[in-house]
Amino acid sequence: MKRSALVLLLFLARLLAAGQPVPYGHNPAAGHYQTVRGIKLYYETYGAGPPLLLLHGNGGSIASFQHNIAYFARRYRVIAVDSRAHGRSVDAGDSLSFEMMADDFAALLTSLRIDSANVIGWSDGGISALALALRHPAKVRRLVATGANLAPDSTALTPALWLQQQRSYRENQGRARTTPAQKNDWKVFLLDVFQPNIPLAALRRVGAPALIVAGDGDVITLEHTVAIYRHLPRARLWVVPNSGHGTLIEHADEFNRTADEFFRAQAIPARPH
């Protein structure tokens, strides 16, 4: 075992023995920075085995996976990433897109000498997982996307969420933003107001098997989630009962088991279209 992995295991063992939670997102024993595409991307690694990339949602961070990392670290080499402009990944640019983030994740895997990985993406992370499979198909073995959407309008978002976003945009678009934090927060907010813009038909090019997940009370409409599933050649659909947008938190144990079973299942044949 490499020395770095041993140090990490000892660190985590001490935390568990002391009854302290692992500080996911701020764990010096697991954290690293990697310069990719002109930014410093922060990520943490846990466990050993086949690589598993975790992608959080808008405004989130690695800490979003606090109910999932320990489970998957038993079997996988978990790579949890702070997306650019999120968490500890600093991005001074004035624009942000899902395509940029997908390219970041592909570059990170390449820098870690990982040819391909399983991927779990939540919300914006689910969008990024699908974008990664489209733009860098060789990098994705299988993907699980929960609460993902491909359009920023009322065809994909529930009316309440879409109206809330539009109202917030109108009320705040003229405000001055002078600090880096204010500018960054606005950039992150705008990401979901105007993006993503991925045609459903483009999903037919995704070769990786996909598990498409949503809560039955999700902020993504069920019709849109089903449309994503139907346009993917090799996909399964799971609508989680009694769940909102946070399936992997609200039903963490079931989500973890189901995603793990999907990653380890036999070949998933393509459906006829």
Side-chain angles (χ1 to χ4, degrees):
M1 180 179 294
K2 293 183 178 179
R3 178 178 175 82
S4 59
L6 179 59
V7 170
L8 173 59
L9 288 173
L10 292 173
F11 176 80
L12 296 178
R14 286 198 296 271
L15 287 177
L16 293 174
Q20 298 179 12
V22 177
Y24 296 117
H26 293 273
N27 187 352
H32 312 272
Y33 280 99
Q34 182 66 42
T35 300
V36 298
R37 295 170 27 81
I39 65 167
K40 290 179 64 178
L41 209 59
Y42 179 75
Y43 68 99
E44 293 180 357
T45 58
Y46 299 89
L52 171 61
L53 183 67
L54 302 184
L55 308 177
H56 62 76
N58 189 281
S61 70
I62 292 168
S64 301
F65 294 103
Q66 60 184 300
H67 301 289
N68 317 105
I69 291 176
Y71 177 92
F72 288 105
R74 302 171 189 168
R75 192 186 302 273
Y76 302 90
R77 177 188 175 187
V78 176
I79 304 157
V81 189
D82 280 345
S83 303
R84 70 160 61 207
H86 290 73
R88 303 177 75 177
S89 293
V90 178
D91 171 27
D94 60 2
S95 61
L96 190 62
S97 73
F98 290 102
E99 290 76 14
M100 292 168 64
M101 291 190 289
D103 292 349
D104 292 342
F105 302 137
L108 176 64
L109 292 176
T110 296
S111 71
L112 297 177
R113 298 180 180 179
I114 295 173
D115 293 330
S116 64
N118 292 317
V119 184
I120 294 177
W122 176 25
S123 194
D124 277 18
I127 301 168
S128 293
L130 290 167
L132 180 64
L134 277 168
R135 294 173 67 83
H136 305 275
K139 290 296 186 186
V140 180
R141 293 182 184 176
R142 296 188 178 191
L143 71 92
V144 176
T146 181
N149 60 291
L150 299 187
D153 56 30
S154 58
T155 67
L157 309 178
T158 57
L161 176 59
W162 185 77
L163 289 171
Q164 177 188 357
Q165 284 189 345
Q166 295 301 308
R167 184 169 56 250
S168 295
Y169 174 69
R170 290 193 303 270
E171 293 174 351
N172 294 285
Q173 62 177 327
R175 294 187 179 182
R177 295 169 182 85
T178 56
T179 69
Q182 290 172 341
K183 293 177 181 178
N184 192 82
D185 288 347
W186 183 244
K187 177 175 65 176
V188 170
F189 171 72
L190 291 181
L191 177 67
D192 280 0
V193 175
F194 295 108
Q195 300 180 53
N197 295 285
I198 302 173
L200 280 166
L203 296 182
R204 300 195 189 281
R205 304 198 312 266
V206 175
L211 175 62
I212 301 302
V213 187
D216 61 357
D218 212 309
V219 296
I220 310 302
T221 67
L222 180 59
E223 293 80 6
H224 188 69
T225 298
V226 171
I228 292 174
Y229 155 72
R230 286 179 173 167
H231 281 79
L232 287 162
R234 303 169 66 193
R236 293 177 179 175
L237 176 66
W238 179 30
V239 179
V240 184
N242 303 310
S243 182
H245 193 53
T247 56
L248 73 180
I249 295 176
E250 298 168 25
H251 300 272
D253 291 343
E254 186 178 9
F255 181 93
N256 294 341
R257 289 195 305 270
T258 303
D260 184 27
E261 290 170 0
F262 173 75
F263 290 141
R264 294 189 291 122
Q266 292 183 349
I268 299 173
R271 299 194 314 276
H273 285 280

